[in-house]
Amino acid sequence: MRTIFVLFDSLVRGALECYGGNSVSTPNFKRFSERAVTFDTHYVGSLPCMPARRDLHTGRVNFLHRSWGPLEPFDQSLPDLLQQGGVYTHLVSDHYHYWEDGGATYHNRYSSWEFIRGQEWDRWKAMVQPPLERFRSMYHALQQPQGAQDGRLQAMVNREFMREEAEYCCPRTFAAGFEFLDRNREADNWFLHLECFDPHEPFHAPARFRERYPTGYKGPILDWPRYQRNAQDAEEVAELRANYAALASMCDEYFGKLLDYMDRHDLWKDTALVLATDHGLLLAEHDWWGKNRMPFYNEIAHIPLIIHHPAYHHLAGQRRQALTQTTDLMPTLLAFHGLKPPLTVAGHNLLPLIEEDHTIRPAALYGMFGAGTNITDGRYTYFRYPEDMTRQMLWEYTLMPMHLKTLFPLDELRRAELVPPFGFTQGVPLLKVPARRNVKGQPAGHQGQGGGYEDTTTVLFDLETDYEQLNPIQDKAVENKLLIQMRDLMRANEAPAEAFTRLGLQT
């Protein structure tokens, strides 16, 4: 058995034609949906980028215990388990967070890996005296660096070395993937993880894709929103959305090249292909840009998943309505290769669901460390917040004290204590460290995109009548049912006691 797992970052479900989108050209994602099984009720688990990947590696949510961080020594990782089962695993990615402090243990779980340099503020090209005045005139004020920790200057430097399309990261990433396939497609028992940082911001695409989405905007380069409330005028909003559309179209075209390769070499008969993303993104919907600081509306949390498995080729074009989420990918990919997941896995093997649609869970829990705890049963979504975000109890449980770009500071570690293990830590005790807070007293948010959380109001939406989540409802019976399911799922995931207390729930 051979598997190609393609992961894009921030691939918005509503932008894809196979999910009803009509504003972005994505014919190849649609083409794949027509020869695979498409999942219509697929949700995130832990957010954002690396927490989502830890879910993918371990088959369980981690946001109840930990913020952004590496795989832990007790984590049982998908590529590690595949290797133990005799499967060769290879990672090709331009997702540079794997090579920062907060992701440092993921790529080394693979048999081999290749890093494509230059995305966002990857510390790639060195320019001791960058042309600051030229950059100030080239780029919109929104994109100008704000302080020493803002990586936008590094991103400007990196882009100086991406003039031709072949120099962009997405084409280089797929080229490396094709190199692996050229060398190994006749072999058996391999797993190729092909991961593109695109269409994550900055929305930087070659001109031939951008020309498909004209706007009336006449200003400097504007393709990188900040994670904050929308303060842009209508032309600026249109420009940012058009740049996202251009980048999504580039992702679609290069994914189409992979489909062409599968056709040309007749790989469909013995090679599985999975298309997924970590989360979506707000493009000024709900008056927000980005993710993390605001509630996790469907634009962020309801994500695409499409799976081709050779044994189920006769089901091509079918769709599944069962509620699934990121944690299901790990046991499913193990099952592709005849391997069983360890007992610590909470996700579900989706192979039986591919064969026939049926309920595999009553509800799915999702969220981000220190933010709201969210639940959906497919019909309703419920966001539950502490009454006071500045006073909630919150600790990190870890043996790998790293934030996104730094080690835990010593003043944080001086307050750490050693606590007994959880069941999923396999008998290993943990450091319990007080969580970082911003100047407002709120848990510190995604480093580099502002701290804290806003619009932190407990709220219930009926997706059947209000998929856009614009009109909260009051329904005590539904809320109580979801609260019981939330409590039960938190118990099943061994949430620490304070995770219940902060939400006003019984342990």
Side-chain angles (χ1 to χ4, degrees), residues 252-265:
D252 175 83
E253 180 168 311
Y254 278 86
F255 183 73
K257 293 178 186 296
L258 176 60
L259 303 184
D260 294 342
Y261 191 101
M262 299 272 292
D263 290 342
R264 189 162 58 250
H265 297 287

Side-chain angles (χ1 to χ4, degrees), residues 389-446:
M389 291 285 285
T390 68
R391 295 181 181 275
Q392 59 172 319
M393 298 182 293
L394 200 63
W395 285 272
E396 304 247 20
Y397 294 87
T398 184
L399 290 176
M400 300 291 291
M402 300 176 180
H403 293 306
L404 185 147
K405 295 191 286 187
T406 64
L407 306 177
F408 275 34
L410 294 180
D411 63 339
E412 291 181 22
L413 289 174
R414 288 188 185 103
R415 294 177 287 161
E417 58 179 309
L418 196 65
V419 297
F422 295 96
F424 63 87
T425 68
Q426 304 184 73
V428 178
L430 297 166
L431 289 176
K432 179 182 178 182
V433 187
R436 294 181 300 167
R437 295 182 183 274
N438 64 14
V439 294
K440 299 176 182 178
Q442 297 174 324
H446 175 43

Side-chain angles (χ1 to χ4, degrees), residues 197-212:
F197 192 65
D198 294 331
H200 191 288
E201 70 279 357
F203 310 139
H204 178 216
R208 71 181 183 93
F209 295 102
R210 182 62 186 81
E211 290 163 358
R212 301 177 185 179

